[in-house]
């Protein structure tokens, strides 16, 4: 860029020299022409003197010789004049060059970027913020609403730089140098000769209350269902079941509730076989279909367990026929899916189901590499008092031992302790084995991939790289969003210019004034009223999977036009003082799922006016959230009819100088009460609403007219004309609490 500017300057200087030379040449020609004329005139004078020699003396000739110089003298004069002219032109050229250099030096180059704030622009210009404000005076920018952290559009950045007499230089957001990828990745696939058989990982899926947990309870002979609130599994659990034959099966007990469909899908991703539980007396339900879809998406084979076959109304054949519609074809109907009739309650055919699962696993020839660095998947994360962050994981490759360094998501761990589903400490975990891991520095998320690395510095390096990558991705998204908003603003500005383009400046000013007046800021009272339509909430859960499930339900919220649902914070663990302080700041509500809030915390919350709502069952928490949202909505006014009357005759009476129309009515239903509200209905349409001026029975004023009685009444609206056949309805208005239109699906 600097080379092209230098060449341009040289070209300009060469042109100026050419112009100067042309002017000098013209001047020289003019001087020569003038000299020749003078010489001719001198010759003419000499001839005249020769003729009149007797009149003039020789002194006159000397005088004329002095007056008209000789040619050699003329050339000397020309040379002197030309040298003086060249000197003047050269000085002028140097002066202009100096002025150009000084003007170039005075223009400072300012580096700017899209979306920079007022403060950043002032800092880049090395000026005060007021300088930016002054430059934007008499523009379309609303100076009063402009703050130091307000973002400026490209148009206004250019305007400020231009008015400040500086030069503009666009640059992208400053980014770090390209860093080398430091992420940890899976190893290449192992040599088939090194692989050994492993236990199958089985997921039990199906509709809520179809007996999944009871079935699993019979298999592993523990009382899981008794420990669960309401008999519903609330989060993913992983268990290893040993059969009498010596075979082992790892079960992932995924929730049957529709709210946890995303977690069921994650369970299917690490699953080898799915046991689909369908109640023989209930048939295929909504969540049964969802479970089938998850199995198909993950390409996992199914074993069908038709449960509750001990009931009198059980119909297993009906279940098999219903499943045909979803491409689940049992062996009885020529398919390849094993169907086992079981009763989780009595334990019938439990071993047959286990054997069917083992048989399918043998057909799949499940194998794994028990050597080398560990690879696995996080099933759930939670906080254990005294142990810190704990994860349940399924090992998929390698053998996990105490002291191993693991990375999962943006967290890492040095394994301090491992335990099985019975809380028994173990020393190593092989492929397909569920294990609890203690030693995490932070919470990994359910579903994160676990990879073993060689050292702690390497683990930190991987975590830093992943955080950096996430930050870069966010910066990129923010930049794209800023650019999109800038284009929208430019387009709106262009349309506004086109709209006002043909109008006179007075008309433009008047239209802008009207628009600005309509967009005046809300009054303090109106602002306070508007804030009630926002519900800030804080979610705390016992495990990461539960919190994620609740957040997934919140993602279905589609009633923001009624009340805005704002998630302030979510996390794992008991409710803390920080949660209470956060809720107080945002005027929010704390929802806890399977967590505790100590007496000190509850007292602090009560003192600060913060609601803490604790739940053990997820759909109770969602119902509570719906009620809280409904309470933020304005009440609905409902009309309750008290009585109805029909108009039989119309007449008018004179009161002073006015004629008042009166309707003669008979009460057909209920009663008319003078103090209540009334409406006049004609041909099914309401043509008037208001109050009565008078209500009379014969000539007596009365406050209540009951069914079957005649009366005369007049309205508070004189222009309304009664007609025979119209109906008068007496009603009262009652405020009823509104209900949110959000339906979470259960």
């Amino acid at each position: 860029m600097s080379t092209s500017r230098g060449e341009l300057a040289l070209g300009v200087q060469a042109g100026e020299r050419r112009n100067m030379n042309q002017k000098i040449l013209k001047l020289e020609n003019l001087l020569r022409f003038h000299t020749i004329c003078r010489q001719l005139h001198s010759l003419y004078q000499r001839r005249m003197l020769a003729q009149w020699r007797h009149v003039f003396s020789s002194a006159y000739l000397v005088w004329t010789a002095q007056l008209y110089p000789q040619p050699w003298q003329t050339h000397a004069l020309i040379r002197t004049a030309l040298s003086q002219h060249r000197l003047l032109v050269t000085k002028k050229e140097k002066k202009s060059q100096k002025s150009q250099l000084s003007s170039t030096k005075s223009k400072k180059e300012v580096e700017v970027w899209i979306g920079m704030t007022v403060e950043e622009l002032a800092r880049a210009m090395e000026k005060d913020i007021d300088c930016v404000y002054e430059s934007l005076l008499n523009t379309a920018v609303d100076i009063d609403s402009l703050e130091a952290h307000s973002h400026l559009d490209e148009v206004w950045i250019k305007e400020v730089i231009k008015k400040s007499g500086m030069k503009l230089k666009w640059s992208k957001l400053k980014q770090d140098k390209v860093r080398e990828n430091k992420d940890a990745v899976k190893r290449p696939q192992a040599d088939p000769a090194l692989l050994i058989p492993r236990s199958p990982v089985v997921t039990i899926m199906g509709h809520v209350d179809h007996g999944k947990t009871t079935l699993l309870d019979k298999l592993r002979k523990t009382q899981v269902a008794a420990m669960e609130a309401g008999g519903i599994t609330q989060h993913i659990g992983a268990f290893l079941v040993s059969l009498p034959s010596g075979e082992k099966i790892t079960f992932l007990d995924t929730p049957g509730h529709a709210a946890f469909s995303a977690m069921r899908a994650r369970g299917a991703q690490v699953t080898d076989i799915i046991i689909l539980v369908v109640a023989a007396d209930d048939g295929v339900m909504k969540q049964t279909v969802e479970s089938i879809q998850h199995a198909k998406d993950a390409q996992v084979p199914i074993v069908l367990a038709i449960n509750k076959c001990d009931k009198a109304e059980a119909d297993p054949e009906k279940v098999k026929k219903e499943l045909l519609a979803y491409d689940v074809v049992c062996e009885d109907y020529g398919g390849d899916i094993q169907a086992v009739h079981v009763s989780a309650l009595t334990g019938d055919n439990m071993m047959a189901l286990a054997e069917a699962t083992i048989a399918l696993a043998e057909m799949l020839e499940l194998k794994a590499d028990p050597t080398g660095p560990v690879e696995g998947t996080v099933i759930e994360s939670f906080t254990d008092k005294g142990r810190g962050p704990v994860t349940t994981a399924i090992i998929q490759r390698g053998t996990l031992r105490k002291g191993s360094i693991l990375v999962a998501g943006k967290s890492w761990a040095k394994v301090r302790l491992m335990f099985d589903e019975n809380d028994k400490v173990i020393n190593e975990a092989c492929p397909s084995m569920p294990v609890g891991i203690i030693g995490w520095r932070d919470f990994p998320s359910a579903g994160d991939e676990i990879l073993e690395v060689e050292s702690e510095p390497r683990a930190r390096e991987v975590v830093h790289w992943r955080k950096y990558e996430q930050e870069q991705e966010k910066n990129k998204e923010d930049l794209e969003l800023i650019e999109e908003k800038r284009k929208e603003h430019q387009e709106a500005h262009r349309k506004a210019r086109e709209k006002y383009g043909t109008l006179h400046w007075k008309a433009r000013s008047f239209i802008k004034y009207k628009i600005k007046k309509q967009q005046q800021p809300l009054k303090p009272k109106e602002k306070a009223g508007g804030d009630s339509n926002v519900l800030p909430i804080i979610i705390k859960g016992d495990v990461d999977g539960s919190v994620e499930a609740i957040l997934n339900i919140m993602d279905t919220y589609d009633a923001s036009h009624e009340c805005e649902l704002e998630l302030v914070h979510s996390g794992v663990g008991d409710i803390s003082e920080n949660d209470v302080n956060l809720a107080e700041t945002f005027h929010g509500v704390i929802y806890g799922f399977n967590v505790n809030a100590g007496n000190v915390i509850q007292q602090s919350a009560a003192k600060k006016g913060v609601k803490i709502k604790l739940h053990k069952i997820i759909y109770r928490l969602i119902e509570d959230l719906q009620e809280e949202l409904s309470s933020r909505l304005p009440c609905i006014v409902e009309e309750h009819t008290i009585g109805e009357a029909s108009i039989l005759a119309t007449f008018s009476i004179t009161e002073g100088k006015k004629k008042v129309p009166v309707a003669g009515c008979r009460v057909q239903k209920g009663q008319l009460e003078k103090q209540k509200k009334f409406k006049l209905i004609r041909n099914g349409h309401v043509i008037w609403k208001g109050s009565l001026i008078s209500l009379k029975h014969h000539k007596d004023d009365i406050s209540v007219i009951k069914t079957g009685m005649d009366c005369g009444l007049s309205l508070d609206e004189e222009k309304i004309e009664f007609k025979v056949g119209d109906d008068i309805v007496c009603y009262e208005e009652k405020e009823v609490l509104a209900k949110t239109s959000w339906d979470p699906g259960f």
Side-chain angles (χ1 to χ4, degrees), residues 211 214-215 218 307-308 310-311 342-348 350:
T214 310
L215 186 148
K218 282 291 179 183
N307 194 21
K308 301 185 181 180
D310 56 314
K311 288 193 173 183
V342 299
S343 172
L345 193 64
T346 62
D348 291 344
M350 285 293 106

Side-chain angles (χ1 to χ4, degrees), residues 208-260:
V208 64
D209 293 334
H210 275 201
K212 300 182 304 301
T213 305
T214 310
L215 186 148
L216 190 61
D217 179 49
K218 282 291 179 183
L219 285 170
R220 57 192 170 91
K221 296 188 166 122
T222 56
Q223 297 297 318
V224 174
M227 293 186 291
E228 295 288 355
I232 298 176
T233 307
Q234 299 295 340
H235 51 76
I236 294 175
F239 309 93
L240 187 66
V241 175
S242 297
L243 302 178
S245 60
E247 301 284 351
K248 292 184 178 180
I249 304 175
T250 298
F251 283 96
L252 293 183
D253 183 13
T254 60
H257 204 279
F260 288 174

Side-chain angles (χ1 to χ4, degrees), residues 400-406 413-418 452-453:
L400 182 64
R401 295 180 177 85
K402 187 177 177 181
S404 299
I405 309 298
L406 306 178
K414 182 176 182 180
V415 180
R416 291 192 288 110
L417 192 67
M418 296 186 296
E452 184 179 359
V453 293

Side-chain angles (χ1 to χ4, degrees), residues 20-34:
M20 183 185 73
N21 291 335
Q22 288 174 1
K23 289 177 182 178
I24 292 171
L25 187 61
K26 286 180 181 179
L27 181 62
E28 288 175 347
N29 291 336
L30 185 63
L31 288 170
R32 286 195 189 100
F33 177 74
H34 184 68

